[in-house]
Amino acid sequence: MRGRPIAAMAAVGAVALGSISPPARAVPDRSGTHGAVPMAAMSGVPAGTVPMAAMRPSAVFNVPSGSAEEQNAIAHHVNQLTAGAPRGALIQIAVFMFTSKAFAQTLIDAKKRGARVQLVVDASTRDNDAYRSVERALGTSRKNSSWVVACRGGCIGDTIMHNKFFLFSRTGRARDVVVQSSANLTTRNRVNAWNNAFTISDARLYRAYGRYFAALAARRHERDHYRVAHSGRVTAYTFPRAGDSPKTDTLYELLGHVGCARGTAVRVTTFNLSRTAVAERLWSLSHQGCDVRVIYTNLSARAHEILAQDGGPQLLNSHYLYFDGDGDEVDAFAHSKYVLIDGTYAGRTRKVVITGSPNYTEPALRHNDETMITIEGADIYGAYQGNFARLWQAAQTHYQLNGSVPDPDDPTASTDD
């Protein structure tokens, strides 16, 4: 089955970050900033090389309706960063689902050349060849420098370990690299699902993520592990967060800083939205005059009822199915979780991106292990805005995908499970 042509769009955005002051109940780390510089596109990067551009603040998207390169963009990006970690470097990864044979081999190769490789996954992903090969190679004892930890019923929270982040002490010539993504390391997330990943080299952010990773690996359950870390123009939040009211709903709080008097634009992409407080706030912003659009894959009945009221946002279901030329059923859907704000925020004109691993559900806020970040800057916002526009078009027209393309980083040239 061949997908219909679609105009090419850069998979990577450039960033020149501004300033942002989101609300925080936890004590923030305000010291230090990290300068940002424009980045080059990752398209066509040879295997085994990690250019300096890959370390600069960037946004990478995989596009199911695009080329094979675009479908594989995030998987290739993290694979190249891992391949670029030298002897002695520390690689720490927390990911919910992991079935990629190509990435498994890259992790094994990293350990063989002397990098320290540490992986935390949800126990539900253990029953596949890719994970088993990594577990055999790294072992499960945290007394060693490399290991795998599989958490059942969450690592810190009590439901699932749902994170998708990657940390590199060194890769290429860069240090303290953080990748925050919405993507699992699976074929379905690579080929059928729209996802995003934000990458930055930032020492303070890297240390904050490192502390959270250590807490995940320790597997000590806590009802509340809400932490807020500021570094320059980026803020990171860790979950679960205790509470039982919208006042302790981080996304609800952030949306509360949006002003609509000048027609602020709010764009939302979510795999699952069921928190009624968030739905009510989005409807309220639209009712107040903000231009609000929501792309969703799953929407609870109550959230849909709230958002569909008169004066509410434009809603578009991203999930569509069709039969390809071979008669096989194919589905496409948004798996990204991000909010874009262009206009008045906290009393100033700003362009803000909120993204991470959490769906907009009660379990994601109160029970799961999750991370979320806010970023400000016209270039990063522009990259996400372009991705939103392309997803909106694909969901409206039901663009046919290009099929299950091979992972180019897989030496066997076959798709992973």
Side-chain angles (χ1 to χ4, degrees):
M1 183 272 295
R2 296 183 180 273
R4 289 177 284 169
I6 185 168
M9 178 177 289
V12 186
V15 60
L17 299 174
S19 60
I20 183 169
S21 300
R25 293 188 180 275
V27 178
D29 176 4
R30 297 184 181 279
S31 56
T33 60
H34 181 81
V37 289
M39 81 163 281
M42 282 289 290
S43 300
V45 175
T49 64
V50 183
M52 279 300 291
M55 301 308 104
R56 298 165 184 170
S58 66
V60 179
F61 308 93
N62 71 300
V63 182
S65 61
S67 65
E69 182 179 60
E70 289 175 311
Q71 288 186 8
N72 288 317
I74 294 174
H76 182 63
H77 179 59
V78 297
N79 196 76
Q80 294 300 90
L81 294 178
T82 305
R87 179 180 180 84
L90 176 62
I91 301 169
Q92 295 177 313
I93 297 168
V95 64
F96 174 51
M97 298 297 292
F98 173 38
T99 64
S100 170
K101 295 175 184 176
F103 194 66
Q105 189 59 53
T106 302
L107 291 176
I108 294 167
D109 291 343
K111 189 204 175 203
K112 287 179 179 178
R113 68 174 173 270
R116 294 166 292 157
V117 181
Q118 300 171 0
L119 177 66
V120 173
V121 300
D122 189 79
S124 62
T125 197
R126 295 180 66 188
D127 189 22
N128 69 83
D129 291 340
Y131 172 83
R132 284 191 289 264
S133 67
V134 171
E135 185 180 70
R136 285 193 300 270
L138 304 186
T140 58
S141 173
R142 291 174 57 228
K143 294 180 181 179
N144 299 322
S145 60
S146 295
W147 41 259
V148 176
V149 165
C151 296
R152 189 173 302 280
C155 295
I156 299 171
D158 60 12
T159 305
I160 57 174
M161 204 301 297
H162 194 249
N163 281 293
K164 300 103 167 47
F165 66 80
F166 306 78
L167 309 178
F168 305 90
S169 66
R170 286 183 293 156
T171 177
R173 289 174 289 164
R175 295 179 179 272
D176 304 324
V177 175
V178 176
V179 180
Q180 175 62 66
S181 184
S182 65
N184 293 304
L185 295 172
T186 66
T187 294
R188 193 159 187 255
N189 264 218
R190 189 168 56 80
V191 174
N192 298 80
W194 297 69
N195 278 292
N196 75 94
F198 173 74
T199 303
I200 189 169
S201 173
D202 183 293
R204 295 191 180 280
L205 199 64
Y206 175 84
R207 287 196 293 270
Y209 269 83
R211 290 190 294 270
Y212 182 59
F213 183 86
L216 293 171
R219 289 184 284 188
R220 288 191 293 268
H221 291 287
E222 301 176 38
R223 183 169 175 267
D224 184 90
H225 197 89
Y226 185 61
R227 307 287 189 272
V228 181
H230 297 292
S231 187
R233 288 86 174 180
V234 179
T235 302
Y237 308 84
T238 64
F239 301 89
R241 183 178 186 180
D244 55 10
S245 75
K247 292 182 179 180
T248 54
D249 184 327
T250 306
L251 182 59
Y252 179 87
E253 289 183 289
L254 294 172
L255 290 172
H257 286 254
V258 177
C260 296
R262 299 179 183 177
T264 297
V266 178
R267 302 289 183 259
V268 179
T269 298
T270 178
F271 179 71
N272 197 343
L273 196 167
S274 61
R275 293 210 300 271
T276 55
V278 171
E280 287 168 351
R281 179 138 277 176
L282 290 171
W283 180 88
S284 177
L285 290 174
S286 179
H287 190 67
Q288 292 171 47
C290 282
D291 177 10
V292 184
R293 296 188 183 189
V294 178
I295 300 175
Y296 66 91
T297 300
N298 299 290
L299 198 60
S300 72
R302 179 56 182 151
H304 188 274
E305 182 182 7
I306 292 166
L307 292 168
Q309 295 177 100
D310 289 345
Q314 296 184 60
L315 301 177
L316 181 60
N317 189 339
S318 72
H319 192 195
Y320 57 92
L321 298 95
Y322 61 91
F323 290 94
D324 64 17
D326 297 324
D328 296 324
E329 188 176 70
V330 180
D331 68 326
F333 58 97
H335 193 256
S336 277
K337 311 95 167 50
Y338 63 72
V339 176
L340 313 180
I341 301 163
D342 181 11
T344 303
Y345 185 84
R348 292 172 49 195
T349 300
R350 304 181 179 192
K351 294 180 185 293
V352 180
V353 175
I354 306 168
T355 189
S357 65
N359 292 303
Y360 306 143
T361 65
E362 196 71 11
L365 177 64
R366 308 296 184 196
H367 301 281
N368 295 351
D369 303 320
E370 310 267 11
T371 42
M372 187 174 78
I373 58 173
T374 61
I375 316 140
E376 183 175 355
D379 291 337
I380 274 289
Y381 177 90
Y384 276 86
Q385 182 185 42
N387 178 255
F388 185 92
R390 193 171 183 185
L391 172 54
W392 187 275
Q393 179 191 35
Q396 276 189 322
T397 60
H398 290 194
Y399 256 82
Q400 293 189 7
L401 312 187
N402 280 329
S404 187
V405 298
D407 184 339
D409 297 304
D410 189 342
T412 67
S414 62
T415 57
D416 44 300
D417 293 334

